[in-house]
């Protein structure tokens, strides 16, 4: 079998998505997600100019060799842009493999270890009352695990809380807009939020929280310690994670489980974190972490150290990634949880999905391969629109992590 052609499809049904489509001489094609929020065209160009010409003529069955061609073989390696491109190639090749063999992806990865995938949703309140109402609605929808984010008094706009009750979407049209941040106000308020949610909804639901990289290690240690009585499922990205050793400071002081790495893109971002058991969940998703081939190895490495998976699954990861992640989640023994932010209705005009949500869990059907298709005619109705993630400054103007 040979790869005959490949193309990059960029479409914006409500938000931008980049999809790689690889064609073969057997009439079968595969799809891979190549979306990197706010940097869509950088990945598209890398694929079009540098990867696709190399792929043509290669045997798509050789997922392992082709992964190493684009990682080990290429001199300038790692980084979000190139790893997202590798992810898209890898995902599309596994999709082809499944279609050729006539079996769903999960069978190729080791078969089902479970029938359904525990997912968590986002409950974002502008203030505490709004949050309590929204969490109630998520519980009515059947969610068993909920990420809790709240507006902070004295901070004009807090990460995760959408303006004007719109669906949450972190990228804004055009160039990055600036947000502002005050860690001391945040640290003072968040424990009260969790106290209230536990008081109203009890101890049966799993609660999660995303700090979104905004604490120093010692601030994060204080937060993790103060949240201990509320038994979080996890505290996410409590620090930026560039300094792996920084997590030791948090770990020494608290038993609140830690999840990290939605912006990571290689196993080498995790070595100290995993081998020293400084974290409990790896967040790096298939689409940014080198695809199925690499994440199978990262998950196996993590499992040796009793670290579980908890893949990033925001709306800026396409339905192709979502479906591939669900196959993966069904298989690995050390699956922990999967993030699930439903896409806007309009996304279904372009992507035909094979998964659905019932009563707290997601399931995928038995369509061969990844099981998601793209309607290219429909995709043309939604041309690319430039959008950027925000940047963040402390209240005195200092540039900070977003
Ligand atoms: O900010 O996906 O846990 N989820 C998150 C997301 C990220 C966006 C960035 O594109 O942190 O909301
Ligand atoms: Co996050």
């Amino acid at each position: 079998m040979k790869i005959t052609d490949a193309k990059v499809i960029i479409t914006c049904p409500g938000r931008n998505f980049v999809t790689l489509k690889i064609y073969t001489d057997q009439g079968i094609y595969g799809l891979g997600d190549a979306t990197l929020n706010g940097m869509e065209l950088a990945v598209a160009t890398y694929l079009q100019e540098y990867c696709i010409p190399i792929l043509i003529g290669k045997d798509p069955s050789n997922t392992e060799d082709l992964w190493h061609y684009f990682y080990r073989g290429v001199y300038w390696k790692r980084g979000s842009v190139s790893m997202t491109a590798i992810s898209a190639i890898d995902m599309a090749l596994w999709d082809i493999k499944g279609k050729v063999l006539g079996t769903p992806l999960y069978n190729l990865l080791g078969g089902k270890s479970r029938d359904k995938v525990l997912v968590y949703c986002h409950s974002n309140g502008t203030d505490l009352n709004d949050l309590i109402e929204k969490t109630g609605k998520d519980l009515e929808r059947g969610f068993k695990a909920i990420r809790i984010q709240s507006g902070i008094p004295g901070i004009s706009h807090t990460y995760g809380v959408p303006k004007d009750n719109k669906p949450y979407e972190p990228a804004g049209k055009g160039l990055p807009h600036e947000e502002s941040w005050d860690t001391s106000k945040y640290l003072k308020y968040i424990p009260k939020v969790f106290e209230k949610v536990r008081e109203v909804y009890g101890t049966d639901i799993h609660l999660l929280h995303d700090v979104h990289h905004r604490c120093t290690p010692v601030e994060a240690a204080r937060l993790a310690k103060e949240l201990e009585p509320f038994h979080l499922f996890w505290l996410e990205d409590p620090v930026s994670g560039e300094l792996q050793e920084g997590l030791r400071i948090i770990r020494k002081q608290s038993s609140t489980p830690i999840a990290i790495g939605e912006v990571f893109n290689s196993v080498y971002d995790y070595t100290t974190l995993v081998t020293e058991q400084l974290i409990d969940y790896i967040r790096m998703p298939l689409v940014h972490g080198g695809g199925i081939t690499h994440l199978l190895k990262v998950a196996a490495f993590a499992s040796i150290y009793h670290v579980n998976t908890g893949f990033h699954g925001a709306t800026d990861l396409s339905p192709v990634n979502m479906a591939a992640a669900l196959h993966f989640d069904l298989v690995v023994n050390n699956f922990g949880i999967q993030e699930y932010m439903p896409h806007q209705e309009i996304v279904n005009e372009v992507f035909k999905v094979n998964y659905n949500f019932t009563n707290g869990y997601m399931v995928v059907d038995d369509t061969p391969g990844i099981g998601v298709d793209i309607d290219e005619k429909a995709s043309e109705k939604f041309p690319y629109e430039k959008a950027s993630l925000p940047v963040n400054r402390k209240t005195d103007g200092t540039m900070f992590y977003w």
Side-chain angles (χ1 to χ4, degrees):
M1 194 172 27
K2 278 198 168 27
I3 295 171
T4 51
D5 199 5
K7 73 170 166 191
V8 178
I9 302 161
I10 307 172
T11 180
C12 188
R15 72 152 354 277
N16 290 316
F17 294 111
V18 181
T19 309
L20 175 67
K21 187 169 184 179
I22 298 182
Y23 300 86
T24 66
D25 58 1
Q26 300 206 355
I28 283 170
Y29 61 83
L31 297 180
D33 185 13
T35 312
L36 184 61
N37 203 1
M39 298 202 176
E40 293 85 1
L41 301 187
V43 181
T45 305
Y46 185 59
L47 282 167
Q48 280 156 344
E49 298 298 319
Y50 303 100
C51 304
I52 291 175
I54 294 168
L55 280 171
I56 293 170
K58 298 267 193 305
D59 185 341
S61 322
N62 300 334
T63 44
E64 184 73 14
D65 183 63
L66 284 169
W67 193 90
H68 283 284
Y69 188 107
F70 288 104
Y71 180 83
R72 205 173 293 265
V74 171
Y75 191 61
W76 307 112
K77 52 181 57 62
R78 296 173 65 183
S80 301
V81 173
S82 45
M83 291 307 285
T84 301
I86 296 179
S87 303
I89 295 167
D90 187 73
M91 233 183 260
L93 297 180
W94 279 95
D95 193 26
I96 290 170
K97 210 188 278 291
K99 286 173 178 171
V100 168
L101 298 172
T103 193
L105 177 63
Y106 62 76
N107 273 337
L108 302 177
L109 307 182
K112 285 187 182 178
S113 294
R114 55 193 64 78
D115 294 322
K116 52 189 184 174
V117 173
L118 176 69
V119 293
Y120 73 90
C121 67
H122 292 196
S123 195
N124 309 310
T126 47
D127 58 30
L128 211 36
N129 287 337
D130 184 42
L131 173 69
I132 292 299
E133 197 188 310
K134 298 229 167 88
T135 306
K137 285 190 183 143
D138 288 331
L139 287 169
E140 276 167 32
R141 288 188 192 105
F143 283 99
K144 313 271 182 250
I146 304 181
R147 189 188 88 159
I148 298 290
Q149 305 293 135
S150 170
I152 307 293
I155 300 181
S156 59
H157 175 245
T158 315
Y159 161 78
V161 183
K163 286 179 194 145
D164 321 319
N165 252 341
K166 288 196 182 125
Y168 168 71
E169 174 50 65
K173 295 257 156 71
L175 295 174
H177 65 275
E178 296 197 2
E179 295 183 351
S180 102
W181 181 249
D182 185 327
T183 306
S184 66
K185 290 197 169 83
Y186 167 77
L187 287 177
K188 215 160 58 183
Y189 195 65
I190 284 296
K192 291 183 201 149
V193 170
F194 279 88
E195 186 177 13
K196 182 75 184 173
V197 174
R198 281 290 184 221
E199 186 190 305
V200 177
Y201 294 115
T203 52
D204 281 348
I205 47 166
H206 295 306
L207 298 180
L208 302 84
H209 179 64
D210 191 349
V211 184
H212 221 259
H213 325 264
R214 288 165 189 209
C215 286
T216 63
V218 79
E219 288 164 351
R222 165 182 155 191
L223 181 63
K225 220 159 39 171
E226 290 184 6
L227 289 176
E228 259 174 20
F230 314 115
H231 295 152
L232 268 60
F233 187 95
W234 78 34
L235 187 65
E236 176 186 339
D237 289 333
V239 291
S240 80
E242 298 152 314
L243 181 68
Q244 296 189 44
E245 297 85 340
L247 273 292
R248 290 178 188 145
I249 292 172
I250 308 171
R251 199 55 148 189
K252 264 184 210 146
Q253 305 202 43
S254 166
S255 63
T256 294
I258 305 291
I260 205 160
E262 71 186 29
V263 301
F264 291 179
N265 53 62
S266 157
V267 70
Y268 297 109
D269 295 318
Y270 275 113
T271 44
T272 303
L273 295 176
V274 168
T275 56
E276 293 190 21
Q277 294 174 282
L278 302 179
I279 60 167
D280 303 279
Y281 297 92
I282 51 169
R283 290 278 292 150
M284 188 169 79
L286 300 179
V287 58
H288 303 140
I292 294 151
T293 296
H294 191 46
L295 258 307
L296 280 173
K297 292 167 191 180
V298 177
F301 166 60
S303 87
I304 294 166
Y305 294 90
H306 296 200
V307 174
N308 292 338
T309 66
F311 291 163
H312 189 203
T315 45
D316 47 283
L317 286 58
S318 96
V320 178
N321 173 80
M322 187 71 219
L326 291 170
H327 285 279
F328 195 102
D329 296 336
L330 284 173
V331 173
V332 293
N333 178 266
N334 59 328
F335 164 75
I337 199 166
Q338 170 69 50
E339 183 178 22
Y340 172 53
M341 274 175 86
H343 291 109
Q344 294 174 46
E345 214 32 62
I346 195 170
V347 175
N348 296 325
E349 289 187 29
V350 176
F351 292 96
K352 305 298 159 206
V353 308
N354 59 334
Y355 51 77
N356 60 63
F357 171 82
T358 26
N359 206 22
Y361 295 85
M362 300 281 283
V363 288
V364 272
D365 71 20
D366 289 344
T367 310
I370 292 172
V372 172
D373 210 352
I374 188 163
D375 180 338
E376 288 187 61
K377 265 239 97 39
S379 78
E380 286 162 16
K381 285 197 299 185
F382 307 103
Y384 168 78
E385 291 177 38
K386 185 173 172 57
S388 308
L389 286 172
V391 293
N392 197 23
R393 290 185 189 278
K394 294 183 189 173
T395 42
D396 71 353
T398 310
M399 187 49 70
F400 197 46
Y401 295 99
W402 177 69

